[in-house]
Amino acid sequence: MNFIIIKKIEDEKILLNFFKSLLGNSIRIEYFDNYLIIYHNFNNENEIRMSINSISADLSFMPFVYLSFKPKDAKKELDIALRLLKNLNSGIYDFKEAILYSSNISNKKEILDYILEATQINSDFIKEFALNDLNVSRASKNMYIHRNTLLYKCDKFLNDTGFDLKNFKDMYILYSLVENK
């Protein structure tokens, strides 16, 4: 199940009605500290982002929103996200953006373990690929694996985690977690 975290505002009824109309009545709402957590089964992240941007223009402010889509372990991601959000300003964030824009992340090893669990990739693979400047041929040679095996592992990792090891920004996030655990 997916979830959305919203920092509470004075008139939260407007946002709740907005999310009910967007996501349908099958949502479940919980309150935690200064946040509303909306659980849903809607699978179009782009539509939700565009709708939030649209309503923020109507309300003249940008709400503080975290979007989770297809989490492996919703409870664990929720726990990690709530800690990451303490260091962020208003805006719309997903898991990668929350890690990228958070300052002073105290639970880097936990985040890395959450990302890597149930994948064929370990932190040494990420580090070696990054140190080879994301160059598939050079990295595969230095790791003593076939180039196609490396590409397969990268594609599988993207499918399992949403992180693209061949994308600089995604690799930067992962490498910073590996180096600072």
Side-chain angles (χ1 to χ4, degrees):
M1 179 167 267
N2 303 322
F3 60 87
I4 299 171
I5 302 172
I6 306 165
K7 193 167 192 173
K8 288 184 185 177
I9 60 171
E10 286 183 27
D11 193 7
E12 66 189 46
K13 288 184 181 183
I14 293 173
L15 283 179
L16 286 176
N17 288 335
F18 163 75
F19 281 108
K20 284 180 184 177
S21 68
L22 179 65
L23 304 172
N25 290 326
S26 62
I27 63 173
R28 183 173 48 106
I29 300 169
E30 290 181 3
Y31 294 88
F32 181 80
D33 287 342
N34 291 325
Y35 301 101
L36 298 172
I37 303 165
I38 301 172
Y39 295 93
H40 63 92
N41 289 316
F42 193 75
N43 286 321
N44 192 334
E45 179 182 358
N46 288 333
E47 186 174 335
I48 292 177
R49 278 182 182 271
M50 288 187 318
S51 299
I52 292 170
N53 283 328
S54 176
I55 193 171
S56 64
D58 292 343
L59 298 174
S60 300
F61 76 94
M62 174 57 80
F64 186 89
V65 179
Y66 175 88
L67 304 172
S68 166
F69 283 87
K70 300 179 185 173
K72 296 179 295 190
D73 181 349
K75 184 177 181 185
K76 192 167 192 174
E77 184 174 329
L78 178 63
D79 180 52
I80 292 170
L82 289 170
R83 285 185 270 152
L84 288 172
L85 295 179
K86 292 178 182 176
N87 300 316
L88 296 172
N89 297 319
S90 293
I92 304 171
Y93 301 94
D94 61 17
F95 189 64
K96 291 183 212 177
E97 292 164 336
I99 296 169
L100 185 62
Y101 297 117
S102 287
S103 58
N104 195 20
I105 299 174
S106 61
N107 53 336
K108 289 183 180 182
K109 182 174 178 0
E110 178 186 3
I111 294 169
L112 183 64
D113 290 345
Y114 171 73
I115 295 167
L116 296 180
E117 69 186 7
T119 69
Q120 297 177 349
I121 303 293
N122 61 28
S123 57
D124 293 335
F125 183 94
I126 291 169
K127 188 174 183 177
E128 187 65 31
F129 193 41
L131 292 175
N132 283 283
D133 299 325
L134 311 184
N135 182 309
V136 174
S137 296
R138 191 171 39 182
S140 63
K141 185 177 179 182
N142 289 336
M143 288 190 251
Y144 303 104
I145 62 175
H146 194 276
R147 181 181 192 283
N148 290 344
T149 302
L150 189 139
L151 289 171
Y152 171 78
K153 287 185 174 199
C154 289
D155 290 343
K156 181 145 178 37
F157 191 78
L158 173 61
N159 189 45
D160 292 344
T161 67
F163 283 87
D164 185 354
L165 295 175
K166 297 175 282 183
N167 176 283
F168 176 78
K169 185 168 87 172
D170 288 4
M171 183 54 94
Y172 172 78
I173 293 167
L174 293 168
Y175 186 76
S176 67
L177 292 173
V178 167
E179 281 299 295
N180 295 304
K181 50 177 174 168

